[in-house]
Amino acid sequence: MQLTSEELKTYDLQGYLLLPNCFAPGEVEVMRAEASALCLQDFAGKILKRDGKTVRMIHGAHLENKVFHRLVRHPKLVKPIMQLLGDSAVYIHRCSLNFKPAFEDTMWSWHQDSSYFCKNDGMPTDQAAIAIVFLDEVNEFNGPTLVMPGSHKEGLINPITEEEESLAIEEKQYLKSRRTQYMLSRPTVTKLVEKYGIVAPKGPAGSVLLFHPSCVHGSAANIMSPFNRTIAVIAYNSVENIPVAVENPRPEYVASRDYRPIEPLSEDVLLQAV
Amino acid sequence: MQLTSEELKTYDLQGYLLLPNCFAPGEVEVMRAEASALCLQDFAGKILKRDGKTVRMIHGAHLENKVFHRLVRHPKLVKPIMQLLGDSAVYIHRCSLNFKPAFEDTMWSWHQDSSYFCKNDGMPTDQAAIAIVFLDEVNEFNGPTLVMPGSHKEGLINPITEEEESLAIEEKQYLKSRRTQYMLSRPTVTKLVEKYGIVAPKGPAGSVLLFHPSCVHGSAANIMSPFNRTIAVIAYNSVENIPVAVENPRPEYVASRDYRPIEPLSEDVLLQAV
């Protein structure tokens, strides 16, 4: 699968591109079963919610599980990603499963992934690309990813506003303590929404959302709906954008230091026996 | 303004009807200014959030404020409502302003208004009707009212499921204590959504959403968006459905005992000098 020049242009303009029904229902079934199985296993990358029971995230699903090891190498993802990154060879920076169960309040504040990639992981530039694979239908009611189209053109945005910069150190620290790292402030979000608006790309299970790491995004809770929303989030990086060493690197399953380029596998790899 | 027979049929089938752009921008401006003014006044019907500052609701806006006194008598609301209630004379059961400010977590769990009207206020039947006036644009991102189309045909739904009925008294009480009164249980919501689905009627400020008190509805928080969502909610009742006496009646500003039929005022009443 190759992106058309029209699709490449759309991605460049909007910072994201939705590919509906990229994977077939049978392939989705396989991935969903493996995601459920992973929830029952114990390993460092498994992150629970505050209740100590509900799984919020599984970091490094591709390192723990054969199907996700294959998914991140699937040609339907790798080939378009290579196109988006200037036909460069790519490696896997990270892969996680993000769970947003029915009636749960898990949410993600507005942020840019590039803040983490560049500031925490040492990527020289934001020239990476993310593929989100929908393992459930994503609809208006189960907390779809919200995107500000075109916001990737801003580059890295300072999560602290100019007004906040001028506050006393204590107040600044207090504000910081109330946010997750790199969560954008409300005044910043307000200004960005005025400029770029919000869209919520939706689609059936098996759809893929490609997006730029500097594209501002987040998602609301799934508190009202009886529909689970599980997604696989895979960040690819160009081998020409290999991170520099950082002082306190995040764990391997969050930010990989295995820079070997990946080779796309065959189209039917998800349906092959494990 | 009269509803067409097509619109009446839609209401009967779906339990709701959206009338986009019912009020002009100038009329919306007047109402919005009065809503802000009411937030600064002190009276019994003003309900704050847990933070003790943010206004969540203003009960009895039509009793405190001249513009809302006029709104509830506006022919664009009263005439359609009379049609929905079989051309009966109607009175105001209640009127509230519901605030859902930008970036706030105010939400409303799934429920039927008729539970409150019949069980708490003594209405013999659910043959009342509600008009929601949008004082802000209601969009996908600022917590629109979610509706299960057709669910009004269920009549009054028991908020406790059959499975829960068979639990030990302590467990039943525990479950009840975790819900707001008449909040539908998750198993009940799941079953109802399978049967009826969910829609989120949206529209510009000035639009009106008419809906049946037994239509199951709720709304998610407005935590991600910088858009306020203020609505005026007016419940009308037929004079042929006057409540019977109840033991602990809710305050007058929540459930009126003034059953005098209202007369629609003139079309331009919101723009007249107060």
Side-chain angles (χ1 to χ4, degrees):
Chain A
M1 202 181 82
Q2 291 282 97
L3 299 177
T4 64
S5 62
E6 201 53 51
E7 286 173 325
L8 288 167
K9 215 161 97 186
T10 301
Y11 179 89
D12 183 53
L13 273 175
Q14 302 188 327
Y16 76 93
L17 183 69
L18 182 69
L19 306 172
N21 297 302
C22 206
F23 294 100
E27 295 174 304
V28 172
E29 266 323 300
V30 171
M31 292 190 274
R32 222 189 260 170
E34 297 297 322
S36 299
L38 273 169
C39 285
L40 302 176
Q41 294 170 31
D42 270 323
F43 49 94
K46 183 164 130 182
I47 310 293
L48 301 179
K49 285 188 60 179
R50 256 177 245 161
D51 65 9
K53 287 183 297 186
T54 319
V55 180
R56 178 180 167 100
M57 256 181 119
I58 287 180
H59 289 294
H62 64 311
L63 305 174
E64 298 290 336
N65 179 281
K66 195 112 188 198
V67 165
F68 291 107
H69 179 92
R70 290 172 178 179
L71 174 66
V72 300
R73 290 167 178 78
H74 200 286
K76 284 187 177 176
L77 300 179
V78 179
K79 287 185 179 175
I81 291 281
M82 288 170 76
Q83 285 180 278
L84 295 179
L85 296 179
D87 298 316
S88 156
V90 299
Y91 71 92
I92 313 292
H93 178 61
R94 59 180 298 177
C95 162
S96 67
L97 302 179
N98 296 10
F99 298 90
K100 204 186 268 195
F103 300 118
E104 282 290 338
D105 62 357
T106 308
M107 60 163 285
W108 301 82
S109 301
W110 292 103
H111 67 282
Q112 297 177 301
D113 286 357
S114 53
S115 300
Y116 297 85
F117 297 173
C118 297
K119 293 175 191 167
N120 293 11
D121 303 334
M123 271 190 206
T125 77
D126 64 359
Q127 295 309 300
I130 293 149
I132 295 184
V133 182
F134 298 179
L135 301 192
D136 291 305
E137 181 197 53
V138 174
N139 59 43
E140 188 179 341
F141 309 111
N142 63 355
T145 300
L146 307 181
V147 173
M148 297 191 202
S151 57
H152 62 303
K153 302 272 186 196
E154 296 276 329
L156 261 67
I157 298 165
N158 191 350
I160 303 294
T161 58
E162 277 172 39
E163 291 85 344
E164 289 167 359
E165 289 284 18
S166 64
L167 294 174
I169 286 178
E170 295 78 28
E171 289 176 66
K172 218 154 84 177
Q173 279 173 342
Y174 169 72
L175 269 178
K176 265 193 176 170
S177 73
R178 296 197 53 199
R179 296 190 197 140
T180 55
Q181 201 187 16
Y182 307 135
M183 171 182 165
L184 299 178
S185 71
R186 291 175 178 191
T188 302
V189 170
T190 303
K191 271 185 218 159
L192 288 169
V193 171
E194 269 169 29
K195 192 165 171 188
Y196 297 108
I198 310 176
V199 295
K202 296 176 273 284
S207 302
V208 171
L209 178 65
L210 301 172
F211 78 96
H212 190 288
S214 286
C215 197
V216 178
H217 66 288
S219 69
N222 183 15
I223 194 93
M224 298 296 291
S225 103
F227 314 121
N228 293 326
R229 196 217 66 163
T230 303
I231 55 175
V233 183
I234 308 147
Y236 295 89
N237 191 23
S238 161
V239 294
E240 287 160 33
N241 190 37
I242 285 185
V244 297
V246 290
E247 246 178 56
N248 295 302
R250 300 199 288 174
E252 175 68 24
Y253 55 80
V254 176
S256 176
R257 286 171 293 280
D258 177 353
Y259 307 130
R260 283 174 295 175
I262 50 167
E263 290 298 328
L265 302 175
S266 69
E267 286 270 340
D268 66 344
V269 69
L270 292 177
L271 298 174
Q272 289 170 16
V274 178
Chain B
M1 203 179 81
Q2 292 282 97
L3 299 177
T4 64
S5 61
E6 201 52 54
E7 286 173 324
L8 288 168
K9 214 161 97 188
T10 302
Y11 179 89
D12 183 52
L13 274 174
Q14 302 189 329
Y16 76 92
L17 183 69
L18 182 68
L19 306 173
N21 298 302
C22 206
F23 294 100
E27 295 175 305
V28 172
E29 266 323 299
V30 170
M31 293 190 274
R32 218 188 263 168
E34 296 297 321
S36 299
L38 273 170
C39 286
L40 302 176
Q41 294 170 31
D42 270 324
F43 50 94
K46 184 164 130 183
I47 310 294
L48 301 180
K49 287 188 59 179
R50 256 176 247 159
D51 66 9
K53 284 185 297 186
T54 318
V55 181
R56 176 179 168 99
M57 256 182 120
I58 288 181
H59 289 295
H62 64 311
L63 304 174
E64 299 290 336
N65 179 281
K66 194 112 188 197
V67 165
F68 291 107
H69 178 92
R70 290 173 178 178
L71 174 67
V72 299
R73 290 166 177 80
H74 200 286
K76 285 187 175 176
L77 301 179
V78 179
K79 287 184 178 176
I81 290 281
M82 288 170 75
Q83 285 180 278
L84 296 179
L85 296 179
D87 298 318
S88 156
V90 299
Y91 70 92
I92 312 294
H93 179 61
R94 59 182 296 178
C95 162
S96 67
L97 302 179
N98 296 11
F99 298 90
K100 205 185 266 193
F103 300 118
E104 284 289 338
D105 62 358
T106 308
M107 62 163 284
W108 301 82
S109 300
W110 292 104
H111 68 281
Q112 296 177 301
D113 285 358
S114 54
S115 301
Y116 297 86
F117 297 174
C118 297
K119 294 175 192 168
N120 293 10
D121 303 335
M123 271 190 205
T125 78
D126 64 358
Q127 295 309 300
I130 293 148
I132 295 184
V133 181
F134 297 179
L135 302 192
D136 290 304
E137 182 195 53
V138 173
N139 59 43
E140 189 178 341
F141 309 111
N142 63 355
T145 299
L146 307 180
V147 172
M148 297 191 201
S151 57
H152 61 302
K153 303 270 189 196
E154 297 276 329
L156 260 68
I157 299 165
N158 191 349
I160 304 294
T161 59
E162 277 170 40
E163 290 86 344
E164 289 168 357
E165 289 284 16
S166 64
L167 293 174
I169 286 179
E170 296 76 29
E171 287 175 68
K172 218 154 82 177
Q173 280 174 342
Y174 170 72
L175 268 178
K176 265 194 176 171
S177 73
R178 294 197 55 198
R179 297 189 195 141
T180 56
Q181 202 189 13
Y182 308 134
M183 170 181 165
L184 299 178
S185 72
R186 291 175 178 192
T188 302
V189 170
T190 303
K191 272 185 217 160
L192 289 168
V193 171
E194 267 168 30
K195 193 165 171 189
Y196 298 107
I198 310 176
V199 295
K202 297 175 270 282
S207 301
V208 171
L209 178 65
L210 300 172
F211 79 96
H212 191 289
S214 286
C215 197
V216 178
H217 66 286
S219 69
N222 183 15
I223 194 92
M224 299 295 290
S225 102
F227 313 121
N228 293 325
R229 196 218 66 163
T230 303
I231 55 174
V233 183
I234 308 148
Y236 294 89
N237 191 22
S238 161
V239 294
E240 287 160 32
N241 190 37
I242 286 185
V244 297
V246 290
E247 245 179 55
N248 294 302
R250 300 199 287 174
E252 175 67 24
Y253 55 80
V254 176
S256 175
R257 286 172 294 280
D258 177 353
Y259 306 131
R260 284 173 295 176
I262 49 166
E263 290 297 327
L265 303 174
S266 68
E267 285 271 339
D268 66 343
V269 68
L270 291 177
L271 298 173
Q272 289 170 17
V274 178

